[in-house]
Amino acid sequence: MGDWWSYGLADFLLFSPRVYYRLFETLNTTWGLAVTAALIAGMVASGLAMRRGYRGNRVVLILLAMIWGWVTAGFLWQYYQPINWVIPYFIPAFIVEAGFMVMFAVRRMPLRFGWRGDFSSVAGAALLLIAIIGFPFAGLIEGRGLIQAELFGSAADPTAIGTLGFILLARGTWRWLLLPVPLVWCVMASAILWVMDQNIALLPLIAVWLTVLGGWMDQKNGVTRKPVLDTGGAD
């Protein structure tokens, strides 16, 4: 016990990069239809969140809740939990995150998504691009095939990054309830990828930085985040 200071982060990692990326290969080949459906759902939600006029808010939230539920059951519980001792602590948090999204969806005034042209909107759009396009294809640079791609909607890392993008695109003070889980996950994911010597470790950190900066800019500029009253056909 006296040598605890001699341990590094790598000593707590019980799997190799080869084992880690085999998880996504197995997930993508075994659950190809579900993985594709989740990716399409994420792309639809992204398109709705980027629209002006704040329409489709409940659809965005329900799609995100379904995605987080699928990531929890399909990836974390079934594949990642057996090799990473930290995951059992995150599974309840992921369930709570999905529950918050459902709660916001059923409220009379749900979170309002839409392009506003401010820094948060730009940062949110950038995070969605990183999550849906950048993260999966970054593996090609590191020599992995597309079959091992981490896809938004099924893999936890790009899903967390993309969710931060949705939060930045949203209006409503209560949106910050959705922030802790994906933010903490991105920090942990970056640490794991860094220990495995993966250049992609920078992307979750960029997501954290953009989210914190976007929130700070909103507070500094006094941007109101109160959603407008619910009107017929607005969602």
Side-chain angles (χ1 to χ4, degrees), residues 54 104 107 109-113 116 167 169-178 223-228:
Y54 307 104
F104 287 134
R107 292 181 68 227
M109 293 185 293
L111 296 183
R112 301 287 169 158
F113 299 92
R116 301 181 303 276
I167 293 171
L169 285 165
R171 284 183 182 272
T173 304
W174 291 100
R175 65 176 176 156
W176 300 120
L177 283 176
L178 300 176
V223 177
T224 178
R225 295 298 178 198
K226 295 181 179 180
V228 297

Side-chain angles (χ1 to χ4, degrees), residues 38-224:
L39 177 60
I40 293 174
M43 295 172 68
V44 170
S46 299
L48 291 174
M50 290 288 294
R51 294 175 58 187
R52 291 180 180 271
Y54 307 104
R55 294 182 179 272
N57 300 285
R58 288 189 172 90
V59 176
V60 172
L61 289 165
I62 291 299
L63 289 176
L64 286 177
M66 293 172 63
I67 284 172
W68 274 76
W70 163 240
V71 170
T72 304
F75 176 64
L76 294 188
W77 181 77
Q78 188 168 358
Y79 291 106
Y80 204 10
Q81 180 179 224
I83 69 169
N84 192 334
W85 60 273
V86 176
I87 301 306
Y89 299 99
F90 272 96
I91 288 178
F94 271 56
I95 295 173
V96 170
E97 183 81 0
F100 275 140
M101 292 169 179
V102 173
M103 180 187 72
F104 287 134
V106 300
R107 292 181 68 227
R108 181 172 176 268
M109 293 185 293
L111 296 183
R112 301 287 169 158
F113 299 92
W115 177 262
R116 301 181 303 276
D118 56 4
F119 179 84
S120 288
S121 296
V122 175
L127 292 182
L128 289 178
L129 288 174
I130 290 174
I132 296 175
I133 299 176
F135 209 93
F137 285 95
L140 293 176
I141 302 175
E142 297 180 334
R144 299 191 307 274
L146 282 177
I147 194 63
Q148 294 184 335
E150 300 175 63
L151 299 177
F152 178 83
S154 295
D157 293 2
T159 300
I161 292 173
T163 300
L164 294 177
F166 281 104
I167 293 171
L168 289 177
L169 285 165
R171 284 183 182 272
T173 304
W174 291 100
R175 65 176 176 156
W176 300 120
L177 283 176
L178 300 176
L179 183 62
V181 176
L183 202 66
V184 172
W185 180 271
C186 282
V187 173
M188 186 198 73
S190 181
I192 290 175
L193 291 169
W194 178 77
V195 170
M196 293 193 298
D197 198 26
Q198 303 296 301
N199 294 328
I200 202 173
L202 290 174
L203 293 183
L205 284 183
I206 291 173
V208 170
W209 179 78
L210 285 176
T211 303
V212 173
L213 183 59
W216 179 76
M217 290 287 289
D218 287 344
Q219 293 297 323
K220 180 181 178 181
N221 296 330
V223 177
T224 178

